[in-house]
Amino acid sequence: MTKEMFTLKSSDGFLFVVDEAVVHQSVTLSPMVQDCAGREYPINNVTGKILNLVVEYCKNHVVVDGGDSSSSSSSGDALKKWDDEFITQMDLSTVYDLIMAANYLIIKGLFDLACQRVADEIAACKDHEEIRATLGIVSDYTAEEEAEVLKENEWAFD
Amino acid sequence: MDDYRDRISRLPDDFLLQILSRLPTKDVVAMSLLSKRWRFLWTLVPKLNFDLRLHDNTCPKFTKFVDRSLLLHKAPTLESLRVKIGSICHNADVDVSVWVRIAVDRGVRELDISYCPAEEPIRLPKCLFPCATLVVLKLENMSLVDASSYVCFKSLKTLHLLDVKYFDEQSLPHLLSSCYVLEDLVVQRCPGDNVKIVSVNAACLKTLTLHKSSQAFEGDDDGFLIAAPKLKRLDIEDYWGGFCYIENMPEVVEANVDVIYKTTERILGSLTSVKRLALCLMTSDAAYPTGTVFSQLIHLELCTCAPRWWDLLTRVIEDSPKLRVLKLRQKHIRRTSSPGASWKQPVSLPKGLSLETFKWELYEGTQKQKEVAKFILKHGVRLKKVIVSPKPSSSLLEKHEMLKELSSAPRGSSTCKLLFD
C-alpha cells in the first residue's frame, strides 16, 4: 500500500515531500491531509532552512509501527539523545526561528525542545552581564535606572 | 548588520515567558537588569520555581525571597509552583502552608513541594484538599493532616507521593478515591506512614509506580491492592515483604516487578498481555499460575541475584512464544545461591527458541551461567546478536577463559554474532 505524500512549500520556494505521519505531528497541518494530497501546500511564515529542520524533527518523531512510544523505554532514551544532539548543534538565532515555526505549525514537542535550549543557555551564564553577551541584548537603562531596578529588587540579589 | 543581535527580544512576550518558565525564579528576577523590556517580565512568568540551595541554604533569605516573589507576582494565572527545600529549615511548616494557600487561591495547576528526606515532614494545610484546579501534585516528605476533610482532586492527572505520612489508614484510600481522572500515580512508602494497605482503584490510570523507600520497614503484612484496568506501565519494587494483588490488566505494555514476596501469582497472572517485562523474584514455582502464557512478551529482563533464577528463566522461556530479546543482569547483591542445584532446561521447543538478541551483563562464567549461555547459543536458531559483558572485576585470564568457552560453544544460528565486551 503506497503512503500518501504531501508537498510543503517554504516561504522562499523550497519544496519538501513528506508523508502523512509527518504532517499529523503539526496540529496546523493535520487538516490538510483531507484535501491537499498531490498539491503544494504553502507555508508562508517559514523559510526553507527552518522547514528543513522541522521536517527532520518530525520524521524522527514518527511513532513506529503501531506500538505506542511507551512500549519501549530504551527507545525513548534514544529519541531523547537524538533531540539533544539535534537542538544543541544549532546556533541561537536558528533556535528562535524554530520556536516561531513550531508555534505557527503547533508542534508542541519541538516548541518545548527549542525553548528549553534557550533556557539552558541562560542557565549556563553566571551573571546578567554574561546573559546579555550570550543573547546579544543591549541594555537601554541609564545608570540611574539600573540602580533603581537594583534597589527595587534588592531582596532578590542578596 | 544587527540581524543576529538581540534577536531574542524580537520574540513576543509569550514566548519569552515560556522560556523563563523553565528557569529558577531567582535567575528570572535577576534578569530584570538586562534591559527595559525585561524589567517586569518576571512578574508575569506563569511558573514559579524556588530552591533553597540557590539562597546558600539560608532559610530566612529563602523565605523572604519566596514571600516577596509571591506578593509581587501578577501573572493572570499561576500555572505552577515548585518549592524545593533540600536541607533542614525550622518553621518551614508555617511558610509552606501560606505559600500553598496562596497557590490554591490563585487556581494553581501544578504543585511540587519537596522537603529534605531526613527531616520531620512538613504538615500541609487542609485548604489543599478541595483544590479542583490541580492537575499535577508532587509531594516529598510531607504529612497530610485530617483524613475527614473534604477532598476533591477532580482535575488531578498526575500524583506523586514520596515519603508522605498520612493521618491514618483511611487517608490514602480516601485521597485516591477522589481522583477520578488520575493517569499517573507514584507512591513511595516510608516507615511510620500509617499505611497498611495501599488500595488503588482507578479507572483511567495509565502508569503506576509503587516503591518502598530504602529505610527499614517493620512487619511484613502490609500490601498493595490494585484495580486499574487501563494500566499501560507498572513498576513495583518492594524489598520488605507483604503482598500485592492486581486485577487483570489487559492493556499493560511494560512492567517491572522487583519484589521479595513468596508468591507473585496475583501480579504476573494479571499481566499476561505484557510486551516488556523486567523481573527480580524470589520464586519461580509461585511466580505465576501454571498454564499462563505471555503471548505478547517480546522483551524480557531477568535479574540473576535470586537463588535458582534459572528455573524462572526456564518457565518464562517456555511460556513466551514470541520472545525476541533476553537480557540477564545481576541487579542486586546475590542472595545465597545453591551451586549444586541442577538446572531443568526448557523443553526443546520444536522450532527452537524465538530469541533474536541475547545480552548478558556482569557475566561471571559460573557453572550455571555457562550452562544457560550455551543452551541459548545452541537452541537460539534465530539468534542474530549475542552480547556478553563480563564483570569488570574479572581478571584478564578469567575473561579470556569466558570468551574461549562461549565462542567455542555450538551455535544453532549461522548468522549469530557473538560480542564479548
Side-chain angles (χ1 to χ4, degrees), chain A residues 71 93 97 132 136 140-141, chain B residues 6-7 32-34 36 276:
Chain A
S71 73
S93 189
D97 286 331
R132 277 211 200 110
D140 49 358
Y141 284 131
Chain B
D6 208 1
R7 291 241 12 239
S32 55
L33 281 175
L34 292 179
K36 288 183 185 170
R276 293 178 65 99

Side-chain angles (χ1 to χ4, degrees), chain B residues 308 310 337-343 368:
Chain B
R308 308 189 62 103
W310 44 84
S337 60
S338 25
S342 65
W343 178 43
K368 216 31 114 272

Side-chain angles (χ1 to χ4, degrees), chain B residues 156-201:
Chain B
L156 200 64
K157 287 194 172 157
T158 299
L159 178 59
H160 292 194
L161 301 167
L162 306 179
D163 298 342
V164 173
K165 295 197 161 113
Y166 307 89
F167 184 75
D168 60 20
E169 281 177 35
Q170 275 72 46
S171 297
L172 183 53
H174 182 56
L175 181 63
L176 292 176
S177 65
S178 83
C179 304
Y180 308 127
V181 296
L182 199 61
E183 288 179 9
D184 170 18
L185 176 63
V186 174
V187 176
Q188 175 172 290
R189 286 197 47 206
C190 62
D193 58 0
N194 292 322
V195 171
K196 259 272 163 270
I197 315 276
V198 175
S199 171
V200 177
N201 194 333

